[in-house]
Amino acid sequence: MKYMYKLFLCLLSLVALNCKEDKEIFSESVTKDIVGTMWRLKAFVPENIFKIIPPEGQVYTIKFLNDSTYTGKSDCNQIMGRYILDPPQIIKILNTGTTYALCPDNSLYKQYLLALRHVNSYKIEKDELYLFCDDNSKLHFVCEE
């Protein structure tokens, strides 16, 4: 009887350990990291006044790489540059370079680049990234991957 009781306690302990590990793995996979994730612009909110949603067919992305550089897309152009990350939530985007393809009249290309140059902090909530600017504007991204 004692043997059965000890075996039961051992099995119960193993189940509890496995549940804890599964819970930890789940919580780690829910929140994305700012570095290494492709982020797609969902909305731009200039000076917290109104929300601008990119027009259908226009894609604005950014991906921060481990070497302190970033790449992305601004509608019809590629963007690239450097950034400084100071955890927990400080980020500065530097030296924005771009290709110079002609964009449609309704493109947010110029507004997107200007906003990126003024980013000073960020917040991540699960698979969404918020970049905050000096002038109280914000960029709202979703995970593309």
Side-chain angles (χ1 to χ4, degrees):
M1 180 74 167
K2 285 184 182 180
Y3 177 73
M4 293 295 282
Y5 181 72
K6 286 181 182 179
L7 181 61
F8 175 74
L9 286 178
C10 280
L11 288 173
L12 188 61
S13 297
L14 287 173
V15 169
L17 277 174
N18 283 337
C19 290
K20 182 180 177 187
E21 288 174 10
D22 289 345
K23 192 174 186 179
E24 288 172 359
I25 290 169
F26 176 75
S27 66
E28 288 175 1
S29 66
V30 171
T31 301
K32 296 293 183 179
D33 191 358
I34 190 168
V35 176
T37 301
M38 179 62 76
W39 300 101
R40 181 179 46 82
L41 184 67
K42 181 177 180 180
F44 172 55
V45 185
E47 301 178 37
N48 285 325
I49 299 172
F50 54 91
K51 184 187 292 187
I52 300 172
I53 298 172
E56 182 84 22
Q58 292 185 22
V59 178
Y60 301 85
T61 63
I62 194 162
K63 184 174 188 176
F64 299 98
L65 305 173
N66 287 325
D67 63 357
S68 297
T69 64
Y70 68 90
T71 62
K73 187 170 182 180
S74 178
D75 188 13
C76 53
N77 287 292
Q78 299 298 315
I79 60 171
M80 69 288 298
R82 300 189 58 74
Y83 71 93
I84 298 171
L85 186 63
D86 188 12
Q89 294 179 312
I90 305 297
I91 188 167
K92 292 286 184 188
I93 297 177
L94 313 168
N95 307 335
T96 302
T98 180
T99 57
Y100 290 101
L102 185 60
C103 295
D105 290 337
N106 67 343
S107 177
L108 300 175
Y109 163 74
K110 290 180 183 176
Q111 293 92 326
Y112 182 58
L113 289 180
L114 185 61
L116 288 178
R117 290 182 185 129
H118 292 281
V119 167
N120 61 23
S121 62
Y122 72 95
K123 177 173 75 170
I124 297 177
E125 292 180 349
K126 296 188 180 181
D127 62 349
E128 297 188 4
L129 168 68
Y130 298 88
L131 295 179
F132 301 100
C133 303
D134 300 332
D135 64 357
N136 294 323
S137 299
K138 70 181 172 185
L139 299 158
H140 178 193
F141 295 84
V142 292
C143 175
E144 185 77 351
E145 300 172 337

